[in-house]
Amino acid sequence: MDSAGLVILLGALAILLSRRVPIGIGALVAQGVSIGVLDWVPSLQRHPELWVFLGATWVVKAGLVPALIWRGFSVWPDAHYRDPALPLWAYAGGLFLWAVVYHVVRVLDTTGLVSSPVLVTEGLATVFVGLFTVVARRHFLSQVMSLMVVENGLVLLARALAGSLPAILEWGLLIDVGLLGVVALWINRRLHHLFRTADTGVLKRLRG
């Protein structure tokens, strides 16, 4: 399952570095498929009923949310064409966060509480990359994709630390992610109608 975690981390890095919404959407699809594989595939032989959860995970995370983001992008592609390049401080901050992840995982590994140090590393790194992307990117849909990365990273981290999540929590996360996609599409429309752009930097104009 470490390979699924690696795909999730690489998807987070693709969203951070690509600066193009279509590439970010493809990374979200890959992350959604990997989350489903990581969470449910190992238990399918013993519990065939988990196909319902696997299907729901793929429908929401690899289908619904990426499709909603694509819908927002396709209506006004010029508004989301490309994010500005990352400043130099962003790369320095990224190296610092990676050092933090490495140190935290080493400390946790000595406690014997971690079943898979590799998954913990990938989960923490994914969360930090997602949070970092929220700060570094200005276009609204890029920030929404970054929040999805954070959520996927938290699921990966919970899997590494706890082994699995309660079914009711899994359903709650899927509903929350689906609502995020719907609300994000609505906000994207409002932002473009009011300011003719998807750059959240224009919200500074609202300050009195």
Side-chain angles (χ1 to χ4, degrees):
M1 292 296 103
D2 292 346
S3 57
L6 180 60
V7 170
I8 294 170
L9 176 57
L10 291 177
L13 292 172
I15 292 173
L16 173 64
L17 298 174
S18 68
R19 297 195 290 156
R20 291 180 178 271
V21 173
I23 294 177
I25 293 173
L28 278 186
V29 172
Q31 283 192 336
V33 172
S34 298
I35 286 289
V37 170
L38 187 70
D39 272 352
W40 307 115
V41 169
S43 304
L44 282 178
Q45 289 186 344
R46 290 178 287 117
H47 304 284
E49 67 276 7
L50 292 181
W51 274 107
V52 176
F53 288 93
L54 177 62
T57 300
W58 283 347
V59 166
V60 174
K61 290 195 171 186
L64 175 63
V65 174
L68 290 173
I69 295 175
W70 176 261
R71 171 64 178 169
F73 168 75
S74 63
V75 175
W76 302 291
D78 292 338
H80 302 282
Y81 180 68
R82 182 185 286 265
D83 268 307
L86 293 175
L88 291 178
W89 65 262
Y91 294 98
L95 290 175
F96 172 75
L97 290 178
W98 188 260
V100 170
V101 170
Y102 178 76
H103 176 71
V104 169
V105 172
R106 287 193 63 184
V107 172
L108 288 175
D109 196 24
T110 60
T111 64
L113 300 176
V114 178
S115 59
S116 176
V118 175
L119 278 183
V120 173
T121 302
E122 293 165 345
L124 275 176
T126 301
V127 171
F128 282 149
V129 168
L131 291 173
F132 193 73
T133 311
V134 172
V135 176
R137 293 296 180 218
R138 294 171 54 183
H139 284 176
F140 178 71
L141 290 185
S142 296
Q143 293 179 343
V144 172
M145 289 190 291
S146 304
L147 292 175
M148 285 294 303
V149 167
V150 173
E151 196 272 341
N152 288 335
L154 290 174
V155 172
L156 179 58
L157 191 58
R159 178 76 181 185
L161 294 175
S164 62
L165 296 176
I168 189 171
L169 183 58
E170 292 281 1
W171 281 114
L173 287 173
L174 290 178
I175 293 172
D176 178 67
V177 168
L179 290 176
L180 171 64
V182 173
V183 173
L185 180 61
W186 179 80
I187 294 177
N188 183 69
R189 288 177 177 273
R190 294 295 300 164
L191 189 63
H192 191 273
H193 280 306
L194 291 174
F195 300 104
R196 309 304 299 173
T197 182
D199 190 337
T200 55
V202 301
L203 296 179
K204 295 178 181 178
R205 301 177 192 172
L206 299 177
R207 292 187 297 187

